[in-house]
Amino acid sequence: MNLVILGAPGSGKGTQAARIAEREKIRHISTGDLLREAVAKGTAVGKQVAGIMAAGQLVPDDVVLELIREKLADAEERAKTNGWILDGYPRTARQAEALEEVLKTTGETIDAVIYIDLDPDVVVNRLSKRRTCVACKAVYHLVSNRPAIQGKCDACGGEIVLREDDKPETIMKRLEVYKKETLPVLSLYEKHHKVHRVDGSKPIEEVTSEIAGLIGV
Ligand SMILES: [Zn+2]
């Protein structure tokens, strides 16, 4: 089963992708992970990506697509699992079209698209209460996952802070970009694929069971 998961920042898309992958024994292909992995491995692409990220620029589409193509085509991983869930790509209609071209070369198709729907107010509320450890990057939440000692990381004792990305004004900007760029992907997919919408405001476990039910497993 090959899936694409879409959702706004803060919708829980990454968490759900990981849970569905685990449950269905399929690969979780996250563009964030692919980029970090490439940088960590120090491959040619990794070095290029590290430079771009250090300069605070966006990694070009063709670089991300190449990483995905390599991952999809990986014979060893293909032999081990029966499908994948793509998380973090495509973000734009152009990327969606490029992905279709890649899938032609791997002989695969997207079986279903999962869209996690979430009200922007809920997103802002969720993300602005998130705190991140400056040292180990552990993530906390002021309501649902508070550190034992206020302002200190449980894991390493580091300082926990509100990331620039999680400030309400930054979130609003990210949501604007998302609406402008990613909602066209949804319209495009609605024409060609089966799109399942789920309510992202429900608890994590409920959202996972709903997705599992919708994709028929
Ligand atoms: Zn820490």
Side-chain angles (χ1 to χ4, degrees):
M1 165 155 325
N2 302 327
L3 305 167
V4 168
I5 190 162
L6 301 173
S11 63
K13 174 172 62 73
T15 305
Q16 293 301 335
R19 291 172 62 89
I20 293 295
E22 166 100 38
R23 194 176 164 135
E24 306 312 320
K25 310 271 181 292
I26 57 176
R27 290 190 281 160
H28 176 199
I29 303 180
S30 143
T31 48
D33 289 349
L34 287 180
L35 291 170
R36 279 186 289 273
E37 201 180 288
V39 171
K41 277 188 187 159
T43 58
V45 177
K47 282 180 186 138
Q48 192 189 350
V49 169
I52 296 165
M53 297 204 308
Q57 288 163 344
L58 270 180
V59 180
D61 275 9
D62 55 345
V63 174
V64 180
L65 187 66
E66 179 54 24
L67 289 172
I68 291 173
R69 197 196 58 75
E70 275 175 18
K71 199 79 178 170
L72 289 174
D74 189 312
E76 207 175 299
E77 292 204 21
R78 284 179 73 141
K80 277 192 291 194
T81 49
N82 190 20
W84 36 260
I85 181 162
L86 197 52
D87 160 25
Y89 196 97
R91 287 179 195 272
T92 64
R94 256 189 68 195
Q95 290 183 351
E97 283 157 10
L99 177 62
E100 296 292 334
E101 291 307 309
V102 166
L103 292 179
K104 277 182 197 159
T105 69
T106 61
E108 294 170 302
T109 49
I110 297 165
D111 296 308
V113 175
I114 299 150
Y115 174 60
I116 305 187
D117 202 2
L118 193 58
D119 194 83
D121 291 343
V122 180
V123 172
V124 171
N125 186 47
R126 255 188 204 179
L127 295 185
S128 62
K129 289 191 170 62
R130 198 154 78 166
R131 295 294 181 272
T132 308
C133 171
V134 289
C136 75
K137 311 291 173 213
V139 177
Y140 298 89
H141 191 273
L142 295 186
V143 177
S144 58
N145 178 26
R146 285 159 55 180
I149 302 163
Q150 194 187 347
K152 286 241 183 303
C153 175
D154 290 350
C156 77
E159 187 195 355
I160 63 166
V161 298
L162 174 62
R163 289 192 321 158
E164 195 58 43
D165 257 12
D166 293 338
K167 291 183 177 165
E169 56 274 24
T170 319
I171 299 166
M172 292 314 286
K173 273 188 213 140
R174 286 166 69 197
L175 286 174
E176 277 306 308
V177 172
Y178 167 79
K179 249 167 71 180
K180 195 168 132 251
E181 295 190 335
T182 307
L183 289 186
V185 175
L186 191 62
S187 317
L188 196 72
Y189 279 157
E190 274 169 337
K191 284 184 207 140
H192 305 291
H193 297 292
K194 190 144 195 63
V195 176
H196 300 293
R197 286 171 183 262
V198 294
D199 175 2
S201 69
K202 292 179 182 168
I204 292 173
E205 293 75 15
E206 264 182 57
V207 176
T208 309
S209 330
E210 197 178 326
I211 295 171
L214 285 167
I215 57 180
V217 285

